[in-house]
Amino acid sequence: MSITFWDIMIYTDMLLFIIVAATVLYLGVFAIASLFKKTHETPRIKKQNRIVVLFPAFKQDTVIEQAVISILSQAYPQRMFDVTVISDHQKEMTNMRLAQYPITLLTPNFEESTKAKSLQYAILNLPEFKIYDIALILDADNIVEQDFLVKVNEAFETAATKAVQMHRISRNRDTTAALLGSIFEEINNAIFRRGHINVGLSSALAGSGIAYDFAWFKDNVMKARTAGEDKELEALLLRQEIFIDYFDNIYVYGEKKRTTSKLNQQHGRWAKEQFYNFIRNIKFLPGAIFRKQYDLADKIIQWMLVPRTAMMAIILVMSIILPFIYMTLVIKWWVLGAIALFIFALATPDYLVTEMWDKTFLRDPLKRLWKHYKPNLSLKKK
């Protein structure tokens, strides 16, 4: 029995549709769950935890000083927190300016720099006589409000767990790439954080704006080996059956990539990290299901999903080419595309829905796909 071109096309279409539809279904369930308001009760906490704020900064000369000033201006008692900047491959003038602030400045010079190495270096070089309760991870471009540490302290005590994720939000939407990055950030917050918390599952970590139990972090950060240390730590937390909480009302403001090329690099790196984490953790899926470790099982399934940009690109490509082959096959893709856009609209806060929203979301996946594969021709809800 010979296999015809028609058979190959039908089976390919069916396989792609099942994979993409499963991703859309998963996103849809948690996008709907994110619409329900679930507020954390954060009464004034009398206990004040000792906090160490860690800023891994790799070639972030233009933004790190502003971030340091932001965290030093906190209403939280100054004796109860310390700031450590891990200044990796930054300019001497930047280090000289940072040294004027009441912080601990570390200046490693790694041959191959990663955030994991910077955090490990910081832990190994913190003063031994210092005792901390919370390790707070911020990126070098993160700006926070004056009551941020007060809220973090209250959230950590209220959550009563070893990891708490704050709400990362964009500081800039001045370019198409920055707007798209802002939209993706808030969609992540809605689906992978607020939606998950609302149904009783752990939040995803976001790389920064994370408060860890210091003792746990000190022991486990040394196990991180890749550039995606947050996902490694996330897997470790879930394998140890530690719940990751999320506080939607505590904001961490960060810079978004302003050019499509940098956004492509960032999302390409995230896609690789997602794939590697899936490969490393797939072996834990049967045991997680058997032992009813639903958080871990959900996370591994999450890493199996098609990245959203690739998902939209597949839907657009199939929607364009199938009408020229067989019209009946394309209808399901049109329906799926409409559902996907509706889900993204549900998860996008009102302040990001501008006249550029639909153009940005529909056009950018095709632009990225073309740039990646082209031949060598020389929106906070109030």
Side-chain angles (χ1 to χ4, degrees):
M1 180 179 175
S2 60
I3 299 177
T4 65
F5 169 77
W6 179 254
D7 293 329
I8 294 172
M9 191 196 69
I10 290 292
Y11 289 130
T12 301
D13 172 70
M14 187 184 304
L15 178 62
L16 282 175
F17 184 79
I18 291 171
I19 293 171
V20 174
T23 300
V24 171
L25 176 63
Y26 181 95
L27 298 176
V29 169
F30 289 104
I32 293 170
S34 73
L35 299 177
F36 298 96
K37 300 293 183 182
K38 182 180 179 181
T39 57
H40 284 85
E41 294 294 332
T42 53
R44 289 291 172 181
I45 303 296
K46 292 183 178 180
K47 179 182 178 182
Q48 291 178 326
N49 288 290
R50 287 278 305 167
I51 302 172
V52 58
V53 184
L54 302 177
F55 279 105
F58 174 72
K59 295 183 178 180
Q60 296 285 320
D61 302 84
T62 59
V63 293
I64 181 59
E65 189 173 3
Q66 188 180 5
V68 168
I69 293 172
S70 169
I71 203 69
L72 289 176
S73 304
Q74 292 295 297
Y76 202 64
Q78 291 189 356
R79 70 182 187 281
M80 298 304 294
F81 74 95
D82 294 322
V83 178
T84 297
V85 175
I86 309 95
S87 181
D88 182 17
H89 287 85
Q90 297 201 122
K91 296 176 183 177
E92 185 177 348
M93 184 58 68
T94 300
N95 290 335
M96 288 176 63
R97 290 201 305 270
L98 290 173
Q100 298 175 14
Y101 295 100
I103 65 172
T104 299
L105 179 63
L106 304 175
T107 55
N109 190 26
F110 303 119
E111 288 186 14
E112 294 184 11
S113 299
T114 66
K115 193 173 177 180
K117 287 183 180 179
S118 291
L119 293 173
Q120 291 164 356
Y121 188 88
I123 290 298
L124 292 173
N125 287 276
L126 288 176
E128 292 185 7
F129 63 88
K130 292 280 189 177
I131 299 174
Y132 298 108
D133 304 299
I134 298 172
L136 178 62
I137 313 302
L138 294 176
D139 282 342
D141 62 349
N142 287 161
I143 301 297
V144 295
E145 297 168 349
Q146 282 192 329
D147 60 350
F148 176 70
L149 289 184
V150 172
K151 289 181 176 179
V152 167
N153 180 68
E154 292 172 353
F156 203 80
E157 286 299 303
T158 302
T161 186
K162 296 183 184 297
V164 175
Q165 174 67 57
M166 314 307 162
H167 185 161
R168 295 208 316 180
I169 191 169
S170 172
R171 294 168 54 191
N172 61 304
R173 300 184 294 278
D174 48 350
T175 67
T176 299
L179 176 59
L180 188 69
S182 304
I183 292 169
F184 277 152
E185 184 80 77
E186 288 290 22
I187 289 174
N188 286 341
N189 287 331
I191 294 174
F192 300 115
R193 297 182 185 98
R194 188 168 64 248
H196 274 65
I197 291 296
N198 284 351
V199 299
L201 292 171
S202 280
S203 162
L205 293 182
S208 71
I210 311 168
Y212 295 100
D213 175 83
F214 181 80
W216 185 92
F217 181 76
K218 182 179 180 181
D219 290 339
N220 287 273
V221 74
M222 296 302 171
K223 301 173 185 177
R225 294 291 179 267
T226 69
E229 89 299 329
D230 56 321
K231 298 306 176 188
E232 291 187 85
L233 293 176
E234 188 174 347
L236 287 170
L237 284 163
L238 299 181
R239 275 155 46 191
Q240 295 172 30
E241 300 187 49
I242 298 171
F243 185 76
I244 303 170
D245 212 338
Y246 170 66
F247 282 74
D248 200 47
N249 62 334
I250 306 178
Y251 300 111
V252 177
Y253 301 91
E255 290 273 345
K256 291 300 168 192
K257 306 297 182 185
R258 287 185 163 84
T259 64
T260 302
S261 60
K262 289 185 178 179
L263 190 65
N264 286 341
Q265 292 173 5
Q266 184 184 61
H267 281 243
R269 186 178 71 252
W270 288 347
K272 289 179 183 177
E273 290 170 6
Q274 177 178 325
F275 176 75
Y276 292 147
N277 278 295
F278 168 67
I279 295 299
R280 283 194 294 265
N281 290 281
I282 183 62
K283 61 186 177 184
F284 299 112
L285 183 58
I289 295 173
F290 179 75
R291 291 190 296 271
K292 298 183 180 180
Q293 293 176 289
Y294 298 127
D295 282 351
L296 178 58
D298 169 75
K299 178 55 60 178
I300 297 170
I301 292 170
Q302 191 182 115
W303 285 330
M304 294 169 62
L305 302 178
V306 181
R308 286 184 306 281
T309 304
M311 180 190 78
M312 291 305 298
I314 292 170
I315 292 173
L316 287 167
V317 169
M318 298 301 284
S319 297
I320 291 169
I321 65 173
L322 283 179
F324 297 101
I325 300 173
Y326 198 77
M327 192 66 183
T328 307
L329 292 176
V330 78
I331 295 174
K332 64 182 181 298
W333 286 103
W334 289 347
V335 173
L336 190 64
I339 294 172
L341 284 177
F342 178 70
I343 289 168
F344 292 143
L346 281 180
T348 303
D350 293 341
Y351 80 93
L352 288 175
V353 182
T354 66
E355 65 277 3
M356 283 296 294
W357 186 87
D358 56 344
K359 294 179 183 178
T360 299
F361 219 101
L362 289 170
R363 182 180 57 198
D364 202 78
L366 280 181
K367 285 172 61 181
R368 288 152 148 239
L369 191 69
W370 167 250
K371 286 191 175 186
H372 187 72
Y373 292 108
K374 67 181 178 181
N376 266 326
L377 302 177
S378 151
L379 307 143
K380 164 184 160 192
K381 268 180 186 167
K382 297 293 183 183

